[in-house]
């Protein structure tokens, strides 16, 4: 197998456009990367429904335990071609961030793909906001006070 290395967000988006190109059902993808941004492995979740998909959190943790990635990047497609995140997308991103923190994995991004358009939580600033407001160090510090 040819090694996949992501150098920047453009590389990631191109890879995701190819991955989701002919998917008619909403599909959730988890990419696990090493400390040099090489793709170590990926997990695909699908409910075989056109407009919903659920990433199973225990399976995400299991993948972390198997691959022991430094970084995780999450993505899913919107077959409806509407690239904007839903409230459920925001909620899922928050849960994934907590799982990453608990497993000492750095969450790089959550990217929504709709055709040849992509919405990046990182590029929009939403991921930084989530990481600042839902930070385990802050939560545990406030509990200790």
């Amino acid at each position: 197998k040819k090694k996949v290395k992501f150098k920047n967000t453009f590389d990631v988006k191109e890879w995701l456009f190819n991955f989701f190109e002919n998917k008619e059902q909403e599909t959730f993808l988890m990419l696990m990367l090493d400390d040099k941004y090489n793709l170590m492995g990926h997990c695909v979740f699908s409910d075989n429904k056109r407009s919903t998909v659920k990433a199973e959190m225990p399976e995400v943790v299991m993948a972390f335990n198997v691959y022991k990635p430094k970084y995780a990047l999450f993505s899913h497609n919107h077959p409806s071609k509407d690239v904007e995140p839903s409230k459920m997308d925001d909620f899922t991103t928050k849960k994934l961030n907590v799982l990453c923190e608990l497993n000492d994995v750095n969450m790089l991004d959550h990217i929504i793909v709709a055709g040849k358009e992509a919405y990046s939580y990182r590029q929009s600033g939403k991921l930084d906001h989530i990481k600042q407001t839902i930070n385990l160090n802050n939560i545990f510090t406030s509990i200790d006070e």
Side-chain angles (χ1 to χ4, degrees):
K1 263 182 157 179
K2 184 181 173 195
K3 223 176 191 183
V4 176
K5 180 181 178 101
F6 296 115
K7 295 179 188 118
N8 52 45
T9 305
F10 178 80
D11 287 351
V12 173
K13 286 181 180 177
E14 286 301 309
W15 194 92
L16 293 173
F17 290 148
N18 288 327
F19 178 84
F20 288 116
E21 188 171 28
N22 294 313
K23 301 241 185 311
E24 294 183 16
Q25 292 86 22
E26 194 163 321
T27 304
F28 183 86
L29 175 67
M30 173 182 169
L31 302 176
M32 290 156 292
L33 310 171
D34 66 15
D35 60 341
K36 293 181 174 49
Y37 302 98
N38 294 305
L39 181 62
M40 301 169 68
H42 68 278
C43 296
V44 179
F45 303 86
S46 180
D47 296 338
N48 292 319
K49 296 179 183 172
R50 180 152 172 77
S51 61
T52 62
V53 66
K54 184 176 180 184
E56 298 296 335
M57 297 302 151
E59 291 173 0
V60 170
V61 172
M62 189 182 318
F64 285 160
N65 289 327
V66 169
Y67 287 94
K68 302 194 181 337
K70 174 76 174 170
Y71 303 104
L73 192 144
F74 302 95
S75 183
H76 74 281
N77 64 328
H78 281 177
S80 67
K81 305 291 186 219
D82 180 8
V83 76
E84 290 300 312
S86 67
K87 288 185 191 263
M88 185 55 80
D89 293 335
D90 291 346
F91 180 71
T92 300
T93 304
K94 291 173 186 176
K95 283 175 39 177
L96 290 168
N97 179 63
V98 170
L99 280 181
C100 284
E101 282 197 38
L102 287 170
N103 288 277
D104 200 26
V105 175
N106 187 346
M107 181 173 174
L108 291 177
D109 207 344
H110 181 181
I111 298 174
I112 300 170
V113 174
K116 288 292 184 185
E117 287 188 71
Y119 177 92
S120 163
Y121 273 80
R122 186 182 60 76
Q123 288 181 323
S124 73
K126 264 189 169 182
L127 185 59
D128 283 339
H129 178 73
I130 288 168
K131 286 184 173 194
Q132 290 169 2
T133 56
I134 304 174
N135 179 301
L136 294 181
N137 289 330
N138 293 345
I139 292 169
F140 289 131
T141 301
S142 66
I143 291 171
D144 291 340
E145 293 177 350

